[in-house]
Amino acid sequence: MDGIQADHGLEEAARAIITQTFSCSSDVAEAVMRRGRLCSFEEQATIVRQGDWLALAYFLLLGRARALLYSVEGQIVLLHDYGPGDIIGALAEKDPVFQDADVVAQDMVRALSVESSEMALLAQQHGCIGLALSSILLRRLRQTTARMFERAALSAVGRVYAELLREARRAPDLRISPAPVFSELALRVSTTRETASRAVNALERRGIIRRDPTSLTVVAPRALEELII
């Protein structure tokens, strides 16, 4: 914990994120922090590697990361996006677990690493942690199931439209800011940049979306929903 104590601002941020994620008291958050170690990862650094056996959980404090799976044909498949408050690696297993995907830092990442056995002990001692870990796993399962369904049931263009609508609905004004980058959008739905670009341009020509230099707004969400096939 020397690294955290040396950075008071990050220490306070870590305590707040842990408290919010686990819906716990400050005492419980302090117990988590005492068992952790601060670590940093540069942009594009691999935090955990596909095929490794892991006995650590990484609690993201700052930055973004992404879980990527590489198929035998060399195709990149996006499994999950992670941000502050998310946990990567072995969540609360007593034994090392097999890592099924690379997790790569999208920008500078600061994290608190905790032995998974310690996290399991904390979950046993504090019901709020166990409940939060269960919720995290269920949310990831629902996200993965939704992506699997879309890849099997929807066309590539339909997946682009579904992703745009999903992103837009996270904001009350249906505005995605910053505007999605075509290559990023394509990666999320397992298609090509060219397909994503054509799909978005077609929506703009029909007046279903509106773009400006910094954002994309879904003007007609119902019309967009009807195009998801």
Side-chain angles (χ1 to χ4, degrees):
M1 293 301 298
D2 292 343
I4 288 183
Q5 291 170 354
D7 191 334
H8 183 70
L10 185 58
E11 179 184 1
E12 291 302 314
R15 185 179 292 106
I17 292 172
I18 292 169
T19 300
Q20 181 179 18
T21 301
F22 291 146
S23 299
C24 64
S25 66
S26 58
D27 290 342
V28 174
E30 197 66 41
V32 175
M33 293 176 65
R34 283 198 301 269
R35 288 169 169 79
R37 178 177 175 273
L38 185 67
C39 50
S40 300
F41 299 92
E42 299 290 336
E43 181 179 354
Q44 296 305 313
T46 300
I47 300 173
V48 296
R49 194 173 300 279
Q50 182 178 347
D52 284 352
W53 288 90
L54 295 179
L56 284 175
Y58 294 92
F59 198 105
L60 262 65
L61 305 175
L62 296 172
R64 298 170 299 119
R66 167 171 288 173
L68 300 171
L69 182 65
Y70 302 90
S71 70
V72 292
E73 295 85 9
Q75 181 182 8
I76 302 175
V77 179
L78 172 65
L79 295 183
H80 297 289
D81 282 311
Y82 302 105
D86 285 327
I87 302 176
I88 297 168
L91 267 67
E93 289 86 355
K94 294 183 178 179
D95 299 314
V97 296
F98 183 79
Q99 177 63 27
D100 57 3
D102 283 354
V103 178
V104 179
Q106 296 303 291
D107 41 36
M108 169 64 92
V109 166
R110 304 293 293 274
L112 186 72
S113 65
V114 184
E115 292 284 343
S116 58
S117 57
E118 291 282 353
M119 189 66 79
L121 181 60
L122 286 166
Q124 292 175 3
Q125 293 172 340
H126 306 285
C128 57
I129 293 181
L131 182 61
L133 291 175
S134 297
S135 297
I136 290 170
L137 288 171
L138 286 172
R139 184 170 65 251
R140 288 184 190 173
L141 179 60
R142 285 194 294 268
Q143 291 171 348
T144 301
T145 301
R147 288 187 185 278
M148 289 176 61
F149 169 78
E150 289 176 359
R151 286 168 185 162
L154 299 180
S155 65
V157 171
R159 295 196 301 273
V160 172
Y161 293 164
E163 182 68 15
L164 285 176
L165 189 58
R166 184 163 43 240
E167 286 291 313
R169 282 176 169 165
R170 292 176 180 170
D173 57 357
L174 298 178
R175 181 171 177 265
I176 305 172
S177 181
V181 178
F182 290 140
S183 58
E184 290 287 312
L185 183 59
L187 177 61
R188 290 182 182 181
V189 299
S190 298
T191 190
T192 64
R193 182 191 180 283
E194 291 73 20
T195 297
S197 175
R198 286 195 299 269
V200 173
N201 289 335
L203 292 179
E204 188 172 23
R205 287 194 299 270
R206 296 177 63 173
I208 295 174
I209 65 169
R210 182 177 63 250
R211 285 192 288 175
D212 60 43
T214 60
S215 66
L216 181 153
T217 302
V218 176
V219 179
R222 182 164 295 182
L224 178 55
E225 189 170 14
E226 291 174 352
L227 294 174
I228 300 173
I229 56 175

PDB file of all heavy atoms in Angstrom, residues 134-166:
ATOM      1  N   SER A 134     -21.339 -10.863  -7.313  1.00  0.00           N
ATOM      2  CA  SER A 134     -22.371 -11.620  -8.025  1.00  0.00           C
ATOM      3  C   SER A 134     -23.050 -10.748  -9.073  1.00  0.00           C
ATOM      4  O   SER A 134     -23.299 -11.195 -10.203  1.00  0.00           O
ATOM      5  CB  SER A 134     -23.412 -12.161  -7.039  1.00  0.00           C
ATOM      6  OG  SER A 134     -22.831 -13.067  -6.125  1.00  0.00           O
ATOM      7  N   SER A 135     -23.334  -9.501  -8.719  1.00  0.00           N
ATOM      8  CA  SER A 135     -23.979  -8.580  -9.665  1.00  0.00           C
ATOM      9  C   SER A 135     -23.077  -8.294 -10.856  1.00  0.00           C
ATOM     10  O   SER A 135     -23.542  -8.216 -12.002  1.00  0.00           O
ATOM     11  CB  SER A 135     -24.346  -7.270  -8.955  1.00  0.00           C
ATOM     12  OG  SER A 135     -25.290  -7.500  -7.931  1.00  0.00           O
ATOM     13  N   ILE A 136     -21.771  -8.133 -10.594  1.00  0.00           N
ATOM     14  CA  ILE A 136     -20.815  -7.886 -11.678  1.00  0.00           C
ATOM     15  C   ILE A 136     -20.795  -9.064 -12.652  1.00  0.00           C
ATOM     16  O   ILE A 136     -20.836  -8.886 -13.879  1.00  0.00           O
ATOM     17  CB  ILE A 136     -19.409  -7.631 -11.104  1.00  0.00           C
ATOM     18  CG1 ILE A 136     -19.364  -6.268 -10.389  1.00  0.00           C
ATOM     19  CG2 ILE A 136     -18.350  -7.682 -12.206  1.00  0.00           C
ATOM     20  CD1 ILE A 136     -18.102  -6.044  -9.591  1.00  0.00           C
ATOM     21  N   LEU A 137     -20.750 -10.270 -12.113  1.00  0.00           N
ATOM     22  CA  LEU A 137     -20.717 -11.464 -12.965  1.00  0.00           C
ATOM     23  C   LEU A 137     -22.004 -11.615 -13.770  1.00  0.00           C
ATOM     24  O   LEU A 137     -21.973 -11.968 -14.954  1.00  0.00           O
ATOM     25  CB  LEU A 137     -20.482 -12.703 -12.105  1.00  0.00           C
ATOM     26  CG  LEU A 137     -19.073 -12.851 -11.531  1.00  0.00           C
ATOM     27  CD1 LEU A 137     -19.025 -13.998 -10.534  1.00  0.00           C
ATOM     28  CD2 LEU A 137     -18.060 -13.082 -12.648  1.00  0.00           C
ATOM     29  N   LEU A 138     -23.149 -11.351 -13.143  1.00  0.00           N
ATOM     30  CA  LEU A 138     -24.426 -11.459 -13.850  1.00  0.00           C
ATOM     31  C   LEU A 138     -24.526 -10.423 -14.958  1.00  0.00           C
ATOM     32  O   LEU A 138     -25.021 -10.714 -16.056  1.00  0.00           O
ATOM     33  CB  LEU A 138     -25.583 -11.297 -12.858  1.00  0.00           C
ATOM     34  CG  LEU A 138     -25.839 -12.491 -11.934  1.00  0.00           C
ATOM     35  CD1 LEU A 138     -26.871 -12.138 -10.876  1.00  0.00           C
ATOM     36  CD2 LEU A 138     -26.311 -13.704 -12.738  1.00  0.00           C
ATOM     37  N   ARG A 139     -24.053  -9.213 -14.698  1.00  0.00           N
ATOM     38  CA  ARG A 139     -24.088  -8.172 -15.721  1.00  0.00           C
ATOM     39  C   ARG A 139     -23.216  -8.555 -16.917  1.00  0.00           C
ATOM     40  O   ARG A 139     -23.622  -8.382 -18.065  1.00  0.00           O
ATOM     41  CB  ARG A 139     -23.624  -6.846 -15.124  1.00  0.00           C
ATOM     42  CG  ARG A 139     -23.717  -5.679 -16.109  1.00  0.00           C
ATOM     43  CD  ARG A 139     -23.489  -4.350 -15.424  1.00  0.00           C
ATOM     44  NE  ARG A 139     -22.143  -4.212 -14.899  1.00  0.00           N
ATOM     45  CZ  ARG A 139     -21.825  -4.222 -13.608  1.00  0.00           C
ATOM     46  NH1 ARG A 139     -22.770  -4.374 -12.692  1.00  0.00           N
ATOM     47  NH2 ARG A 139     -20.568  -4.076 -13.213  1.00  0.00           N
ATOM     48  N   ARG A 140     -22.045  -9.104 -16.644  1.00  0.00           N
ATOM     49  CA  ARG A 140     -21.172  -9.520 -17.743  1.00  0.00           C
ATOM     50  C   ARG A 140     -21.800 -10.667 -18.524  1.00  0.00           C
ATOM     51  O   ARG A 140     -21.691 -10.725 -19.755  1.00  0.00           O
ATOM     52  CB  ARG A 140     -19.815  -9.948 -17.183  1.00  0.00           C
ATOM     53  CG  ARG A 140     -18.985  -8.797 -16.691  1.00  0.00           C
ATOM     54  CD  ARG A 140     -17.619  -9.268 -16.254  1.00  0.00           C
ATOM     55  NE  ARG A 140     -16.904  -8.209 -15.564  1.00  0.00           N
ATOM     56  CZ  ARG A 140     -15.746  -8.387 -14.953  1.00  0.00           C
ATOM     57  NH1 ARG A 140     -15.169  -9.575 -14.959  1.00  0.00           N
ATOM     58  NH2 ARG A 140     -15.155  -7.369 -14.338  1.00  0.00           N
ATOM     59  N   LEU A 141     -22.462 -11.584 -17.819  1.00  0.00           N
ATOM     60  CA  LEU A 141     -23.111 -12.702 -18.498  1.00  0.00           C
ATOM     61  C   LEU A 141     -24.214 -12.207 -19.414  1.00  0.00           C
ATOM     62  O   LEU A 141     -24.339 -12.667 -20.557  1.00  0.00           O
ATOM     63  CB  LEU A 141     -23.676 -13.678 -17.458  1.00  0.00           C
ATOM     64  CG  LEU A 141     -24.420 -14.889 -18.019  1.00  0.00           C
ATOM     65  CD1 LEU A 141     -23.508 -15.728 -18.897  1.00  0.00           C
ATOM     66  CD2 LEU A 141     -24.994 -15.733 -16.881  1.00  0.00           C
ATOM     67  N   ARG A 142     -25.018 -11.241 -18.943  1.00  0.00           N
ATOM     68  CA  ARG A 142     -26.086 -10.695 -19.786  1.00  0.00           C
ATOM     69  C   ARG A 142     -25.509  -9.990 -21.006  1.00  0.00           C
ATOM     70  O   ARG A 142     -26.026 -10.137 -22.125  1.00  0.00           O
ATOM     71  CB  ARG A 142     -26.946  -9.734 -18.971  1.00  0.00           C
ATOM     72  CG  ARG A 142     -27.894 -10.409 -17.999  1.00  0.00           C
ATOM     73  CD  ARG A 142     -28.936  -9.438 -17.489  1.00  0.00           C
ATOM     74  NE  ARG A 142     -28.341  -8.391 -16.684  1.00  0.00           N
ATOM     75  CZ  ARG A 142     -28.190  -8.442 -15.368  1.00  0.00           C
ATOM     76  NH1 ARG A 142     -28.597  -9.506 -14.702  1.00  0.00           N
ATOM     77  NH2 ARG A 142     -27.647  -7.435 -14.705  1.00  0.00           N
ATOM     78  N   GLN A 143     -24.433  -9.235 -20.814  1.00  0.00           N
ATOM     79  CA  GLN A 143     -23.808  -8.533 -21.939  1.00  0.00           C
ATOM     80  C   GLN A 143     -23.265  -9.526 -22.961  1.00  0.00           C
ATOM     81  O   GLN A 143     -23.431  -9.338 -24.173  1.00  0.00           O
ATOM     82  CB  GLN A 143     -22.688  -7.632 -21.429  1.00  0.00           C
ATOM     83  CG  GLN A 143     -23.182  -6.439 -20.614  1.00  0.00           C
ATOM     84  CD  GLN A 143     -22.051  -5.675 -19.945  1.00  0.00           C
ATOM     85  OE1 GLN A 143     -20.902  -6.152 -19.898  1.00  0.00           O
ATOM     86  NE2 GLN A 143     -22.346  -4.499 -19.424  1.00  0.00           N
ATOM     87  N   THR A 144     -22.606 -10.569 -22.477  1.00  0.00           N
ATOM     88  CA  THR A 144     -22.046 -11.577 -23.378  1.00  0.00           C
ATOM     89  C   THR A 144     -23.146 -12.314 -24.118  1.00  0.00           C
ATOM     90  O   THR A 144     -23.043 -12.562 -25.327  1.00  0.00           O
ATOM     91  CB  THR A 144     -21.193 -12.575 -22.579  1.00  0.00           C
ATOM     92  OG1 THR A 144     -20.129 -11.881 -21.912  1.00  0.00           O
ATOM     93  CG2 THR A 144     -20.598 -13.634 -23.497  1.00  0.00           C
ATOM     94  N   THR A 145     -24.226 -12.655 -23.416  1.00  0.00           N
ATOM     95  CA  THR A 145     -25.347 -13.347 -24.053  1.00  0.00           C
ATOM     96  C   THR A 145     -25.971 -12.480 -25.133  1.00  0.00           C
ATOM     97  O   THR A 145     -26.299 -12.963 -26.229  1.00  0.00           O
ATOM     98  CB  THR A 145     -26.405 -13.711 -23.006  1.00  0.00           C
ATOM     99  OG1 THR A 145     -25.817 -14.558 -22.009  1.00  0.00           O
ATOM    100  CG2 THR A 145     -27.579 -14.454 -23.643  1.00  0.00           C
ATOM    101  N   ALA A 146     -26.130 -11.181 -24.849  1.00  0.00           N
ATOM    102  CA  ALA A 146     -26.706 -10.272 -25.841  1.00  0.00           C
ATOM    103  C   ALA A 146     -25.829 -10.183 -27.080  1.00  0.00           C
ATOM    104  O   ALA A 146     -26.328 -10.208 -28.219  1.00  0.00           O
ATOM    105  CB  ALA A 146     -26.902  -8.888 -25.222  1.00  0.00           C
ATOM    106  N   ARG A 147     -24.505 -10.089 -26.885  1.00  0.00           N
ATOM    107  CA  ARG A 147     -23.596 -10.009 -28.035  1.00  0.00           C
ATOM    108  C   ARG A 147     -23.631 -11.304 -28.849  1.00  0.00           C
ATOM    109  O   ARG A 147     -23.614 -11.270 -30.088  1.00  0.00           O
ATOM    110  CB  ARG A 147     -22.168  -9.729 -27.559  1.00  0.00           C
ATOM    111  CG  ARG A 147     -21.957  -8.310 -27.040  1.00  0.00           C
ATOM    112  CD  ARG A 147     -20.491  -8.056 -26.740  1.00  0.00           C
ATOM    113  NE  ARG A 147     -20.260  -6.765 -26.143  1.00  0.00           N
ATOM    114  CZ  ARG A 147     -20.156  -5.633 -26.819  1.00  0.00           C
ATOM    115  NH1 ARG A 147     -20.278  -5.648 -28.131  1.00  0.00           N
ATOM    116  NH2 ARG A 147     -19.938  -4.486 -26.187  1.00  0.00           N
ATOM    117  N   MET A 148     -23.671 -12.450 -28.167  1.00  0.00           N
ATOM    118  CA  MET A 148     -23.732 -13.729 -28.873  1.00  0.00           C
ATOM    119  C   MET A 148     -25.010 -13.831 -29.694  1.00  0.00           C
ATOM    120  O   MET A 148     -24.995 -14.288 -30.840  1.00  0.00           O
ATOM    121  CB  MET A 148     -23.643 -14.873 -27.870  1.00  0.00           C
ATOM    122  CG  MET A 148     -22.281 -15.047 -27.224  1.00  0.00           C
ATOM    123  SD  MET A 148     -22.275 -16.346 -25.969  1.00  0.00           S
ATOM    124  CE  MET A 148     -22.716 -17.773 -26.967  1.00  0.00           C
ATOM    125  N   PHE A 149     -26.133 -13.401 -29.113  1.00  0.00           N
ATOM    126  CA  PHE A 149     -27.403 -13.443 -29.847  1.00  0.00           C
ATOM    127  C   PHE A 149     -27.337 -12.550 -31.078  1.00  0.00           C
ATOM    128  O   PHE A 149     -27.756 -12.948 -32.170  1.00  0.00           O
ATOM    129  CB  PHE A 149     -28.545 -13.000 -28.935  1.00  0.00           C
ATOM    130  CG  PHE A 149     -29.836 -12.767 -29.685  1.00  0.00           C
ATOM    131  CD1 PHE A 149     -30.622 -13.841 -30.082  1.00  0.00           C
ATOM    132  CD2 PHE A 149     -30.235 -11.476 -30.022  1.00  0.00           C
ATOM    133  CE1 PHE A 149     -31.800 -13.631 -30.796  1.00  0.00           C
ATOM    134  CE2 PHE A 149     -31.410 -11.261 -30.732  1.00  0.00           C
ATOM    135  CZ  PHE A 149     -32.191 -12.345 -31.115  1.00  0.00           C
ATOM    136  N   GLU A 150     -26.829 -11.340 -30.915  1.00  0.00           N
ATOM    137  CA  GLU A 150     -26.780 -10.411 -32.037  1.00  0.00           C
ATOM    138  C   GLU A 150     -25.889 -10.921 -33.152  1.00  0.00           C
ATOM    139  O   GLU A 150     -26.225 -10.778 -34.337  1.00  0.00           O
ATOM    140  CB  GLU A 150     -26.310  -9.034 -31.552  1.00  0.00           C
ATOM    141  CG  GLU A 150     -27.352  -8.310 -30.704  1.00  0.00           C
ATOM    142  CD  GLU A 150     -26.850  -6.996 -30.154  1.00  0.00           C
ATOM    143  OE1 GLU A 150     -25.669  -6.658 -30.420  1.00  0.00           O
ATOM    144  OE2 GLU A 150     -27.612  -6.308 -29.457  1.00  0.00           O
ATOM    145  N   ARG A 151     -24.764 -11.530 -32.797  1.00  0.00           N
ATOM    146  CA  ARG A 151     -23.857 -12.041 -33.827  1.00  0.00           C
ATOM    147  C   ARG A 151     -24.478 -13.198 -34.589  1.00  0.00           C
ATOM    148  O   ARG A 151     -24.182 -13.411 -35.769  1.00  0.00           O
ATOM    149  CB  ARG A 151     -22.533 -12.461 -33.195  1.00  0.00           C
ATOM    150  CG  ARG A 151     -21.666 -11.270 -32.800  1.00  0.00           C
ATOM    151  CD  ARG A 151     -20.515 -11.666 -31.919  1.00  0.00           C
ATOM    152  NE  ARG A 151     -19.790 -10.476 -31.464  1.00  0.00           N
ATOM    153  CZ  ARG A 151     -18.965 -10.460 -30.445  1.00  0.00           C
ATOM    154  NH1 ARG A 151     -18.740 -11.574 -29.749  1.00  0.00           N
ATOM    155  NH2 ARG A 151     -18.366  -9.341 -30.085  1.00  0.00           N
ATOM    156  N   ALA A 152     -25.346 -13.965 -33.907  1.00  0.00           N
ATOM    157  CA  ALA A 152     -25.986 -15.108 -34.557  1.00  0.00           C
ATOM    158  C   ALA A 152     -27.250 -14.712 -35.316  1.00  0.00           C
ATOM    159  O   ALA A 152     -27.577 -15.309 -36.345  1.00  0.00           O
ATOM    160  CB  ALA A 152     -26.336 -16.168 -33.512  1.00  0.00           C
ATOM    161  N   ALA A 153     -27.979 -13.702 -34.812  1.00  0.00           N
ATOM    162  CA  ALA A 153     -29.312 -13.410 -35.349  1.00  0.00           C
ATOM    163  C   ALA A 153     -29.387 -12.184 -36.239  1.00  0.00           C
ATOM    164  O   ALA A 153     -30.338 -12.062 -37.025  1.00  0.00           O
ATOM    165  CB  ALA A 153     -30.307 -13.248 -34.185  1.00  0.00           C
ATOM    166  N   LEU A 154     -28.435 -11.270 -36.132  1.00  0.00           N
ATOM    167  CA  LEU A 154     -28.528 -10.013 -36.868  1.00  0.00           C
ATOM    168  C   LEU A 154     -27.478  -9.936 -37.975  1.00  0.00           C
ATOM    169  O   LEU A 154     -26.405 -10.535 -37.886  1.00  0.00           O
ATOM    170  CB  LEU A 154     -28.333  -8.823 -35.921  1.00  0.00           C
ATOM    171  CG  LEU A 154     -29.339  -8.668 -34.775  1.00  0.00           C
ATOM    172  CD1 LEU A 154     -28.975  -7.442 -33.949  1.00  0.00           C
ATOM    173  CD2 LEU A 154     -30.759  -8.574 -35.300  1.00  0.00           C
ATOM    174  N   SER A 155     -27.801  -9.166 -38.988  1.00  0.00           N
ATOM    175  CA  SER A 155     -26.817  -8.865 -40.028  1.00  0.00           C
ATOM    176  C   SER A 155     -25.760  -7.931 -39.459  1.00  0.00           C
ATOM    177  O   SER A 155     -25.926  -7.353 -38.376  1.00  0.00           O
ATOM    178  CB  SER A 155     -27.514  -8.189 -41.214  1.00  0.00           C
ATOM    179  OG  SER A 155     -28.026  -6.920 -40.807  1.00  0.00           O
ATOM    180  N   ALA A 156     -24.671  -7.759 -40.203  1.00  0.00           N
ATOM    181  CA  ALA A 156     -23.615  -6.854 -39.742  1.00  0.00           C
ATOM    182  C   ALA A 156     -24.147  -5.435 -39.588  1.00  0.00           C
ATOM    183  O   ALA A 156     -23.861  -4.750 -38.597  1.00  0.00           O
ATOM    184  CB  ALA A 156     -22.440  -6.886 -40.723  1.00  0.00           C
ATOM    185  N   VAL A 157     -24.951  -4.983 -40.542  1.00  0.00           N
ATOM    186  CA  VAL A 157     -25.532  -3.644 -40.451  1.00  0.00           C
ATOM    187  C   VAL A 157     -26.491  -3.571 -39.271  1.00  0.00           C
ATOM    188  O   VAL A 157     -26.524  -2.571 -38.533  1.00  0.00           O
ATOM    189  CB  VAL A 157     -26.254  -3.279 -41.763  1.00  0.00           C
ATOM    190  CG1 VAL A 157     -27.058  -1.990 -41.615  1.00  0.00           C
ATOM    191  CG2 VAL A 157     -25.241  -3.134 -42.899  1.00  0.00           C
ATOM    192  N   GLY A 158     -27.274  -4.622 -39.057  1.00  0.00           N
ATOM    193  CA  GLY A 158     -28.184  -4.654 -37.922  1.00  0.00           C
ATOM    194  C   GLY A 158     -27.450  -4.554 -36.599  1.00  0.00           C
ATOM    195  O   GLY A 158     -27.922  -3.888 -35.663  1.00  0.00           O
ATOM    196  N   ARG A 159     -26.280  -5.175 -36.515  1.00  0.00           N
ATOM    197  CA  ARG A 159     -25.485  -5.093 -35.285  1.00  0.00           C
ATOM    198  C   ARG A 159     -24.966  -3.677 -35.065  1.00  0.00           C
ATOM    199  O   ARG A 159     -24.899  -3.196 -33.931  1.00  0.00           O
ATOM    200  CB  ARG A 159     -24.328  -6.097 -35.329  1.00  0.00           C
ATOM    201  CG  ARG A 159     -24.776  -7.545 -35.348  1.00  0.00           C
ATOM    202  CD  ARG A 159     -23.643  -8.500 -34.994  1.00  0.00           C
ATOM    203  NE  ARG A 159     -22.497  -8.410 -35.865  1.00  0.00           N
ATOM    204  CZ  ARG A 159     -22.362  -9.089 -37.011  1.00  0.00           C
ATOM    205  NH1 ARG A 159     -23.345  -9.887 -37.421  1.00  0.00           N
ATOM    206  NH2 ARG A 159     -21.270  -8.987 -37.746  1.00  0.00           N
ATOM    207  N   VAL A 160     -24.593  -3.006 -36.146  1.00  0.00           N
ATOM    208  CA  VAL A 160     -24.157  -1.609 -36.035  1.00  0.00           C
ATOM    209  C   VAL A 160     -25.300  -0.754 -35.494  1.00  0.00           C
ATOM    210  O   VAL A 160     -25.119   0.046 -34.567  1.00  0.00           O
ATOM    211  CB  VAL A 160     -23.682  -1.067 -37.396  1.00  0.00           C
ATOM    212  CG1 VAL A 160     -23.413   0.437 -37.308  1.00  0.00           C
ATOM    213  CG2 VAL A 160     -22.427  -1.800 -37.857  1.00  0.00           C
ATOM    214  N   TYR A 161     -26.484  -0.932 -36.048  1.00  0.00           N
ATOM    215  CA  TYR A 161     -27.637  -0.149 -35.601  1.00  0.00           C
ATOM    216  C   TYR A 161     -27.982  -0.450 -34.147  1.00  0.00           C
ATOM    217  O   TYR A 161     -28.316   0.457 -33.375  1.00  0.00           O
ATOM    218  CB  TYR A 161     -28.839  -0.447 -36.498  1.00  0.00           C
ATOM    219  CG  TYR A 161     -28.696   0.034 -37.924  1.00  0.00           C
ATOM    220  CD1 TYR A 161     -29.529  -0.443 -38.932  1.00  0.00           C
ATOM    221  CD2 TYR A 161     -27.723   0.967 -38.274  1.00  0.00           C
ATOM    222  CE1 TYR A 161     -29.402  -0.009 -40.243  1.00  0.00           C
ATOM    223  CE2 TYR A 161     -27.581   1.406 -39.577  1.00  0.00           C
ATOM    224  CZ  TYR A 161     -28.427   0.910 -40.561  1.00  0.00           C
ATOM    225  OH  TYR A 161     -28.282   1.351 -41.866  1.00  0.00           O
ATOM    226  N   ALA A 162     -27.923  -1.727 -33.766  1.00  0.00           N
ATOM    227  CA  ALA A 162     -28.239  -2.103 -32.384  1.00  0.00           C
ATOM    228  C   ALA A 162     -27.254  -1.480 -31.405  1.00  0.00           C
ATOM    229  O   ALA A 162     -27.643  -1.010 -30.327  1.00  0.00           O
ATOM    230  CB  ALA A 162     -28.232  -3.626 -32.245  1.00  0.00           C
ATOM    231  N   GLU A 163     -25.978  -1.446 -31.782  1.00  0.00           N
ATOM    232  CA  GLU A 163     -24.966  -0.861 -30.909  1.00  0.00           C
ATOM    233  C   GLU A 163     -25.159   0.648 -30.782  1.00  0.00           C
ATOM    234  O   GLU A 163     -25.042   1.208 -29.686  1.00  0.00           O
ATOM    235  CB  GLU A 163     -23.566  -1.164 -31.448  1.00  0.00           C
ATOM    236  CG  GLU A 163     -22.424  -0.637 -30.602  1.00  0.00           C
ATOM    237  CD  GLU A 163     -22.288  -1.332 -29.264  1.00  0.00           C
ATOM    238  OE1 GLU A 163     -22.885  -2.415 -29.079  1.00  0.00           O
ATOM    239  OE2 GLU A 163     -21.584  -0.784 -28.384  1.00  0.00           O
ATOM    240  N   LEU A 164     -25.476   1.319 -31.881  1.00  0.00           N
ATOM    241  CA  LEU A 164     -25.725   2.761 -31.827  1.00  0.00           C
ATOM    242  C   LEU A 164     -26.917   3.077 -30.929  1.00  0.00           C
ATOM    243  O   LEU A 164     -26.862   4.000 -30.108  1.00  0.00           O
ATOM    244  CB  LEU A 164     -25.989   3.303 -33.230  1.00  0.00           C
ATOM    245  CG  LEU A 164     -24.792   3.467 -34.164  1.00  0.00           C
ATOM    246  CD1 LEU A 164     -25.258   3.933 -35.532  1.00  0.00           C
ATOM    247  CD2 LEU A 164     -23.774   4.447 -33.587  1.00  0.00           C
ATOM    248  N   LEU A 165     -27.997   2.312 -31.064  1.00  0.00           N
ATOM    249  CA  LEU A 165     -29.182   2.559 -30.257  1.00  0.00           C
ATOM    250  C   LEU A 165     -28.899   2.289 -28.783  1.00  0.00           C
ATOM    251  O   LEU A 165     -29.340   3.040 -27.908  1.00  0.00           O
ATOM    252  CB  LEU A 165     -30.334   1.687 -30.751  1.00  0.00           C
ATOM    253  CG  LEU A 165     -31.711   1.973 -30.137  1.00  0.00           C
ATOM    254  CD1 LEU A 165     -32.127   3.410 -30.384  1.00  0.00           C
ATOM    255  CD2 LEU A 165     -32.743   1.008 -30.698  1.00  0.00           C
ATOM    256  N   ARG A 166     -28.141   1.244 -28.509  1.00  0.00           N
ATOM    257  CA  ARG A 166     -27.790   0.921 -27.127  1.00  0.00           C
ATOM    258  C   ARG A 166     -26.955   2.042 -26.507  1.00  0.00           C
ATOM    259  O   ARG A 166     -27.199   2.454 -25.362  1.00  0.00           O
ATOM    260  CB  ARG A 166     -27.022  -0.407 -27.099  1.00  0.00           C
ATOM    261  CG  ARG A 166     -26.664  -0.915 -25.725  1.00  0.00           C
ATOM    262  CD  ARG A 166     -26.299  -2.385 -25.732  1.00  0.00           C
ATOM    263  NE  ARG A 166     -25.443  -2.745 -26.847  1.00  0.00           N
ATOM    264  CZ  ARG A 166     -25.780  -3.650 -27.775  1.00  0.00           C
ATOM    265  NH1 ARG A 166     -26.945  -4.271 -27.726  1.00  0.00           N
ATOM    266  NH2 ARG A 166     -24.957  -3.952 -28.760  1.00  0.00           N
TER     267      ARG A 166
END
